[in-house]
Amino acid sequence: MSEISKEQVKHVAHLARLAITEEEAEMFTKQLSAIIDYAEQLNELDTDHVKPTTHVLDLKNVLRKDEPKQWITQEEALKNAPDKKDGQFRVPSILE
Amino acid sequence: MSLFDHKLKDIQELLHKKEVSVRELVDESYRRIEEVDDQIKAFLTLNKEEALKQADEFDRDGAQSGNGALFGMPVGLKDNIVTKGLRTTCASKILDNFNDPLYDATVVQKLKEAKAITIGKLNMDEFAMGSSNENSGYMATRNPWNTDYVPGGSSGGSAAAVASREVFFALGSDTGGSIRQPAAFCGVVGMKPTYGLVSRFGLVAFASSLDQIGPITRTVEDNARLLEVIAGHDHMDSTSANVEVPAYSEHLEKDMKGLKIAVPKEYLGEGVSEEVREAVRKALKVYESLGAEWEEVSLPHSKYAVATYYLIASSEASANLARFDGVRYGVRSEKAENMIDMFKLSRSEGFGDEVKRRIMLGTFALSSGYYDAYYKKAQKVRTLIKQDFENVFEDYDVIIGPTTPTPAFKVGEKIDDPLTMYANDILTIPVNLAGVPGISVPCGFSSEGLPIGLQIIGRHFDEQTVYQTAYAFEQATDFHKQQPQLGGAGK
């Protein structure tokens, strides 16, 4: 019942920061529609009075003291970077 | 016979008596990898230089240094477990150049403290998304029992490496069956512990409410020994449980008399092959002969587990994988001229189709207007699935069924149809959704000679009973003694 349109797929790809070709858009439209259609079976269940499970162990907030610790150096943080300059990550232009 | 056919305890004894050296153990690993890995394709990265250096150091001052619990044992690590200074790719092209990670995962630190030796990093489905290892960005690992077949996934490299004696044991991770399913397909023992028992710090996150690291070994005893080492509370993972870790391997022998086994009718129903059902029925007879009692029960919401899982896991994945953006580490596209295009192109060039599909599904399920209908709905059904298990565990000690609906399938057989591939995980996924522990142990072979796995599921943090139940079956049968005829390794 729930068809996803190609336009929706393209919008979702943009939100997810994925560049997809026209061909991929068609493939994902078909596949995501089939998966969402399959997921519709959950609507057979009445869950109005069921609490959602976000975490199986029902943990409460886990707190600790906020103490600064030496973790990694600036040099280490940068060593796997694809591009860097003057001790910072370098990226393409953000503003036109 | 391979050195790795011995139990850990026996190898420790040989080391202690100086009948075997650590160097010999590590050499055996690399010799075997050299011999069979062009067929199996389990390893993405080897740690040879460092491992040999460590072996020699251990041999030199091993006797004095208060041997660790895993002293000198060659271990393989799934490539989503971060290793300081050792390439970690998650089998994804987007991490192709991640050659110098800054820290060790907590489990890796614990292995080091126990003096295990890391042999290398093992292939997997990209970011642990898949059930066959065909979604690896690099290569498809093959099943050691028949290389036309998949080893299962996503920890397929880990299970195949253990089954083919390339390592003594390995670590995998299990989000929807990724330890148990490949263990079943490759005829080895794979444990997914209770959610929270093992720290996830340094496990590259796929679905944070489901992911759990666990051991893959040839025997139940060694599995228990490895879990003892890696389990425990960790302040670096706030979801890790603050519980005492028992010495599982010291208490494996237990009289099965009076053990109450539940067998869910949904696990032996439609979609489960007759060969698999027959193997499980025979296993139940073994338990009967040992004095255990079993009864059929129902986990009525099982059929909704796959849909629930794909909505929840993909939603969590879409958030977790947002970090791969080509800025701080990983591969950046050369083609982009502005920032947004750089994100988009780096991710599109770096991720494979299955990863993109799940990121898109998750992004859709979390997007405005659909959140309640899909993500929240799935979380509510998760509650019902969890309650199914709680109800059964009020009256029974363990749940037993098959690990997978069929034995291993052929390479290429299911890769084009995501839903058929997903259905393969129908018997393992509910365990992750409920957060309970589950193990797969060998329980037979198909007419084609492929292994079949028996799944034993326990209460939260009751790994001890799961291990005892698995151990009793293993001692009463000899499926675990069979081994693949790969590369001329005789029985």
Side-chain angles (χ1 to χ4, degrees), chain B residues 174-194:
Chain B
D174 191 318
T175 305
S178 283
I179 287 173
R180 290 159 289 153
Q181 185 253 24
F185 279 11
C186 293
V188 292
V189 180
M191 172 65 127
K192 185 213 79 87
T194 305

Side-chain angles (χ1 to χ4, degrees), chain A residues 8 19 31 44-45 51 53, chain B residues 304 348 357 370 377 383:
Chain A
Q8 268 177 302
Q31 290 173 337
E44 292 167 15
L45 296 167
K51 270 173 55 183
T53 294
Chain B
Y304 301 104
S348 297
R357 192 152 43 235
Y370 296 96
K377 180 80 186 183
T383 303

